Amino acid sequence: MRHIPLALTYDDVLIIPKRSTLFSRSEAITKTRLTKKVNLNIPIVSSNMDTVSESEMAIAMARLGGISIIHRFMTIEENAEEIKRVKRAQNFIVPDPYTIDVNKTVGEAKRFIAAHGVSGLLVTSGDRRLRGILSKRDFVFVKDDNQFVEQVMTPREKLIVGGRNTNFVEAKEKMMMYKIEKLPLVDENDFIIGLITADDIKNLTEYPLANIDSSGRLIVGGSVGVHGDYLERAQELVKAGADVLVVDIAHGHSEMMFNALKNLRDKCGDAQVIAGNVATADGARELCEAGVDAIKVGVGPGTICITRLVTGCGVPQLTAVMEAADMAKKYGVPVIADGGIQKSGDIVKALGAGADSVMLGGLLAGTKESPGVIMSRGDKKYKVCRGSASFAVAQRRQAVQQENKNLSEVVPEGVESVVPYKGPVADLVGQLVGGLKSGMSYTNSHTIAELQNNTDFVQITSAGSRESGAHDLIDVK
Ligand code: XMP
């Protein structure tokens, strides 16, 4: 008879507490690796589902120390614009600030400012030499929109500027000393080489855990499939500034994936590429050998997944993560545990099983920053949450990407439902990270690497599982 091994998921186990040397959970450091080259300050990634990750979620997640992978169920142009929106949300230095010519009118300037969502413009004349600044306060009381910018701007001789070597601290000091909100940077010939804004400095101070790139821009990922427009999409996403690319298909341990990875390497050079999903050591090994920069693990554990019901395939998530992570470790490739995380304890278990970060879908759907409208029924509020392989998303792909697919042949592996409205994602992530840090303290782990090494699990019974939640209380409605 064939041997059938046992595989477990998060609810099947608990972590054995250990003597702890942490005096407070604030000593637990949540910094981790997303890919070989990209780090995160908290190990949380928002899923590339169309009810979870667009630019609003991505800006919030990166500021909190995580990252979002923006979904791909939109045109390539829209997809690139979503990435650019995140990259423009904050900067250390704006390398190519918007400018306006001295001879344009105030009306033209107002329209430009409104269209680009900025609070002011640097003024030039025919070249990139700085002639002044036009801020809203310069024209707020100007009645005649036909006046020229030159007549109302703050001229060059009154401006405080920085140079090539102006750093964050110096810029902040100048802004405080002169009570200014914009510091243009110019070279020896007064040509504009950048701009530092007070908003950007405020953001850098307000979000100390924010994950930023070398220019101070928030980091963000984009996702692609393995056929159709995926190569063109990948190139446009990288051009728009995506820090990582996720090649995301339901069965990532497949020939189609390996072909796509080869093509992506040819076209996108050294982009950081995350591939998945797999659920086995073999799958992890082959992706590592194909040269990926991180692996996404999980076949069927997600909130909205019905892959296991439809196909009979999958591996309970704790075992899948353990086996894939043990293998990936040999190659130095980070692992993302994707799906099935319902509570902070599951994050501790996923990382304890060897993952470097977790990807969340259903848990983040329903937050203020997730795409979609809030629906009210009685006194309750909801938002939609749906699987990427649901019928609703197949319809969206058909409409947006003009896929030539007969919808009656679609076999959905995901469902569409609603989740309670949860308010700002920062509150939820705060609770998750708090729980993670407590879990690190119970296991005597100062770092995620220690958590990966220190975790010993016990398998529990249904009685142990019942005992683990609040129980034997009166439910007062
Ligand atoms: P959670 O549990 O966080 O899981 O909601 C999110 C992950 O689920 C995967 N996903 C799907 N899996 N059918 C599936 O079998 C689907 O339609 C589907 N949509 C998303 C995906 O890996 C996501 O990150």
Side-chain angles (χ1 to χ4, degrees):
M1 200 165 112
R2 278 190 289 171
H3 169 65
I4 300 179
L6 177 71
L8 302 174
T9 194
Y10 300 128
D11 282 346
D12 293 321
V13 299
L14 284 171
I15 298 170
I16 302 171
K18 295 207 163 122
R19 177 177 177 152
S20 183
T21 55
L22 279 80
F23 285 91
S24 143
R25 69 179 195 192
S26 63
E27 288 174 31
I29 297 162
T30 56
K31 205 174 166 68
T32 192
R33 289 195 312 161
L34 173 70
T35 66
K36 286 178 189 166
K37 288 192 183 152
V38 177
N39 293 330
L40 301 177
N41 286 318
I42 64 167
I44 299 182
V45 184
S46 83
S47 172
N48 45 305
M49 292 160 62
D50 75 340
T51 47
V52 179
S53 299
E54 287 181 358
S55 50
E56 197 181 339
M57 175 66 83
I59 292 167
M61 283 301 297
R63 284 186 170 150
L64 293 169
I67 190 171
S68 291
I69 310 300
I70 293 190
H71 72 88
R72 62 186 154 97
F73 308 121
M74 54 186 122
T75 64
I76 293 178
E77 295 71 34
E78 288 165 341
N79 212 167
E81 191 48 43
E82 281 290 294
I83 298 283
K84 284 185 198 159
R85 218 167 270 159
V86 182
K87 294 313 254 183
R88 277 200 303 258
Q90 75 184 53
N91 278 278
F92 173 43
I93 293 175
V94 186
D96 193 15
Y98 293 125
T99 59
I100 191 156
D101 193 273
V102 277
N103 294 319
K104 296 279 183 196
T105 63
V106 170
E108 286 172 300
K110 280 184 185 170
R111 284 192 289 280
F112 189 92
I113 283 174
H116 291 84
V118 289
S119 61
L121 300 168
L122 300 188
V123 184
T124 56
S125 55
D127 53 18
R128 295 286 289 176
R129 194 165 278 154
L130 184 65
R131 293 282 308 274
I133 288 187
L134 183 76
S135 304
K136 279 186 184 162
R137 66 172 178 216
D138 291 319
F139 59 72
V140 69
F141 297 117
V142 173
K143 291 211 178 84
D144 180 6
D145 272 4
N146 291 320
Q147 273 192 279
F148 290 110
V149 165
E150 187 162 27
Q151 294 169 275
V152 299
M153 70 182 190
T154 306
R156 172 67 182 91
E157 55 277 15
K158 291 198 179 157
L159 296 183
I160 306 296
V161 298
R164 251 181 231 295
N165 300 322
T166 301
N167 60 28
F168 172 75
V169 178
E170 194 191 323
K172 193 173 171 184
E173 276 169 6
K174 276 193 168 167
M175 284 177 175
M176 278 163 52
M177 187 185 308
Y178 298 104
K179 296 191 170 52
I180 52 173
E181 292 179 352
K182 288 190 163 50
L183 186 73
L185 306 180
V186 292
D187 68 10
E188 325 57 74
N189 299 314
D190 229 20
F191 283 105
I192 298 166
I193 51 173
L195 174 71
I196 299 180
T197 71
D199 272 351
D200 288 336
I201 290 193
K202 193 170 126 252
N203 283 330
L204 287 172
T205 324
E206 202 168 316
Y207 302 104
L209 288 182
N211 291 312
I212 51 177
D213 64 20
S214 54
S215 312
R217 301 178 307 169
L218 298 169
I219 64 168
V220 61
S223 57
V224 296
V226 294
H227 46 68
D229 63 14
Y230 77 101
L231 279 177
E232 190 193 344
R233 186 175 293 268
Q235 285 170 294
E236 290 304 315
L237 296 180
V238 170
K239 217 192 286 169
D243 298 272
V244 296
L245 282 179
V246 175
V247 193
D248 190 36
I249 53 172
H251 186 24
H253 189 188
S254 66
E255 218 52 46
M256 276 190 309
M257 171 63 86
F258 298 119
N259 287 338
L261 288 174
K262 251 188 247 136
N263 294 336
L264 279 165
R265 276 285 169 244
D266 286 348
K267 298 281 181 202
C268 296
D270 47 33
Q272 289 289 286
V273 174
I274 300 171
N277 280 13
V278 296
T280 60
D282 261 356
R285 180 179 50 75
E286 290 207 52
L287 288 182
C288 289
E289 285 172 0
V292 301
D293 300 293
I295 292 172
K296 211 148 69 75
V297 177
V299 173
T303 331
I304 37 54
C305 301
I306 50 169
T307 292
R308 293 180 187 173
L309 303 183
V310 173
T311 69
C313 298
V315 176
Q317 185 68 346
L318 184 84
T319 298
V321 170
M322 270 183 162
E323 297 199 348
D326 281 352
M327 179 57 75
K329 205 178 213 167
K330 295 183 187 157
Y331 293 84
V333 174
V335 162
I336 303 163
D338 177 18
I341 303 276
Q342 297 301 334
K343 36 207 180 306
S344 54
D346 298 340
I347 299 180
V348 188
K349 291 174 187 177
L351 301 176
D356 298 272
S357 64
V358 296
M359 178 173 261
L360 309 181
L363 203 52
L364 300 179
T367 55
K368 179 173 152 288
E369 292 79 359
S370 67
V373 293
I374 300 173
M375 297 176 290
S376 296
R377 300 250 166 91
D379 60 351
K380 303 232 164 58
K381 291 179 174 168
Y382 304 90
K383 280 181 117 171
V384 169
C385 173
R386 63 190 185 193
S388 305
S390 64
F391 187 75
V393 172
Q395 274 178 315
R396 179 177 181 164
R397 292 169 70 162
Q398 180 91 313
V400 172
Q401 286 152 326
Q402 279 118 39
E403 278 189 357
N404 205 10
K405 211 172 192 177
N406 183 350
L407 283 177
S408 65
E409 287 170 13
V410 170
V411 182
E413 289 186 27
V415 297
E416 179 175 32
S417 186
V418 292
V419 289
Y421 177 63
K422 299 165 190 163
V425 72
D427 296 349
L428 177 63
V429 169
Q431 289 295 312
L432 297 177
V433 173
L436 165 62
K437 288 182 162 194
S438 286
M440 292 171 72
S441 161
Y442 274 101
T443 53
N444 190 29
S445 308
H446 297 81
T447 62
I448 302 293
E450 284 182 10
L451 178 62
Q452 291 169 333
N453 289 328
N454 290 353
T455 301
D456 292 315
F457 291 106
V458 277
Q459 190 181 341
I460 60 173
T461 62
S462 56
S465 174
R466 182 174 172 275
E467 185 188 58
S468 299
H471 56 86
D472 298 317
L473 300 168
I474 298 167
D475 191 8
V476 183
K477 296 231 162 112

